[in-house]
Amino acid sequence: MPELPEVENLVSELGRTLPGCVISSVKVQNGEILKSPRAWFSKSLLGKSIVRISRRGKFIRMDLTDGLLLWFHLGMTGQLLLGGLPPKLGRHTHLVLSFRDTKQRLYFRDPRRFGQVVLTREGEEAFPSGVKRLGPEPKEWGTEEFVSCLKKRRGRIKNLLLNQRLMAGLGNIYADESLHRAGIHPLRRAERIPRKRLSRLHQAICEVLGEAIRWGGSSIDDYLHLNGEKGRFQEFHKVYGRAGKDCPGCGTPIQRLKLSGRSSAFCPHCQR
DNA sequence: GAAGGCCTGGAA
DNA sequence: TTCCAGGCCTTC
């Protein structure tokens, strides 16, 4: 479940190592995660070098020479790892990129295969569906605009936070943590939440994401840094994955509910 | 606006 | 053996 902070960490790490590297071989193990024609994908990547790496929502974007863009979405269990050739690739390593002047290779693993890899040309419709329809990044939203937008929505606040078209980058972990920090119950209808509290919510989202980025993201089951190390922000989660344990704020047991097929953890005392 | 489906590994 | 986790999409 890599969300904005996890992707942000990977992007900085990739940006420190990959720019300038020339792709010398492309190995596609499992075509399912590849959303571009396989032959064209491999042929086009060969000999191109990586110019810069950036993030949009939960997407990783690599700008290559000749106006090519290589996109990664990690889905739930996707991993990007940089290293020498491991003893065995395993059935979940779907893509391996080798480079001309280094022994380091870039591996894309994804056991659950919700991830995607796409190659596009600059100016083209970026991702099959995703990128173009993404809402603003959390930090790009002005607090006032964010509040006014939510005041017009009737949906449950938790669902709205997960909606990437509204705001890009939040997933289940950081939506739950932000709602807890702002003291809002996940089932509250957005339009009925006081403006002051919605404004607090925007602040909470920015704070939580910032802290998570600084702690290297949350390693719940699969997320790893580019070098294979774990993030540490899971040690600071107050509600996510803590159902039945005490709320750090008030000692009330954290509860869990199901909302649109997604679980939500919250404190019934602090969040109303 | 809400629910079902895809997918696999690990827990119950 | 069944169920659950949740990224996003499609369908109701």
Side-chain angles (χ1 to χ4, degrees):
Chain A
M1 50 214 74
E3 306 178 26
L4 189 153
E6 290 75 31
V7 175
E8 181 76 27
N9 269 278
L10 279 175
V11 163
S12 336
E13 292 155 11
L14 290 163
R16 283 197 287 272
T17 38
L18 288 190
C21 290
V22 180
I23 298 170
S24 60
S25 101
V26 180
K27 196 167 171 185
V28 180
Q29 300 270 95
N30 182 335
E32 259 181 77
I33 48 102
L34 186 62
K35 305 301 173 189
S36 300
R38 191 165 171 161
W40 176 78
F41 177 85
S42 303
K43 195 183 75 181
S44 306
L45 284 184
L46 274 182
K48 303 297 188 300
S49 67
I50 294 167
V51 178
R52 63 186 287 270
I53 292 153
S54 54
R55 179 189 62 74
R56 178 74 177 95
K58 301 175 196 172
F59 290 87
I60 295 170
R61 165 179 161 158
M62 294 191 187
D63 289 49
L64 311 176
T65 42
D66 288 357
L68 287 172
L69 303 178
L70 179 58
W71 300 89
F72 293 89
H73 193 291
L74 301 178
M76 267 192 81
T77 54
Q79 297 172 326
L80 279 172
L81 295 162
L82 195 67
L85 191 65
K88 54 175 183 192
L89 281 181
R91 57 194 277 251
H92 299 308
T93 302
H94 307 303
L95 174 68
V96 184
L97 294 184
S98 308
F99 304 99
R100 194 175 287 165
D101 298 313
T102 167
K103 290 211 172 74
Q104 299 277 74
R105 291 162 192 231
L106 184 68
Y107 300 92
F108 180 77
R109 276 191 85 233
D110 185 9
R112 241 165 276 187
R113 286 186 263 156
F114 283 12
Q116 297 189 331
V117 180
V118 179
L119 184 67
T120 58
R121 291 208 162 272
E122 199 149 21
E124 241 177 36
E125 174 86 8
F127 230 60
S129 44
V131 174
K132 216 175 174 184
R133 293 195 300 231
L134 287 178
E137 299 284 322
K139 275 190 182 165
E140 285 171 358
W141 268 106
T143 301
E144 278 315 303
E145 291 74 25
F146 179 75
V147 170
S148 304
C149 173
L150 286 181
K151 267 294 186 187
K152 293 179 203 134
R153 304 291 292 250
R154 255 170 285 185
R156 318 239 186 222
I157 188 66
K158 171 70 184 285
N159 281 343
L160 291 167
L161 291 185
L162 292 177
N163 184 346
Q164 302 298 301
R165 296 190 198 194
L166 189 71
M167 180 167 72
L170 282 195
N172 216 20
I173 299 175
Y174 299 106
D176 277 2
E177 292 296 319
S178 301
L179 284 173
H180 179 262
R181 189 172 295 211
I184 301 171
H185 195 287
L187 294 182
R188 281 296 288 282
R189 303 270 176 193
E191 60 178 1
R192 303 196 50 205
I193 301 171
R195 299 187 77 91
K196 206 167 173 185
R197 198 148 281 264
L198 287 174
S199 144
R200 173 81 192 95
L201 176 60
H202 182 244
Q203 188 192 339
I205 291 167
C206 294
E207 286 171 8
V208 167
L209 292 176
E211 289 164 28
I213 290 169
R214 286 195 291 282
W215 282 100
S218 304
S219 286
I220 297 297
D221 30 50
D222 295 85
Y223 171 71
L224 295 174
H225 286 254
L226 194 58
N227 62 8
E229 283 175 18
K230 290 189 173 186
R232 288 194 53 196
F233 193 66
Q234 67 280 6
E235 298 168 29
F236 304 96
H237 290 173
K238 295 199 161 64
V239 287
Y240 183 86
R242 298 193 66 250
K245 297 182 181 155
D246 293 347
C247 169
C250 70
T252 308
I254 300 297
Q255 288 184 13
R256 208 166 67 145
L257 57 81
K258 223 25 174 193
L259 176 58
S260 312
R262 224 97 292 175
S263 74
S264 287
F266 67 102
C267 168
H269 180 259
C270 297
Q271 297 175 250
R272 302 187 170 265

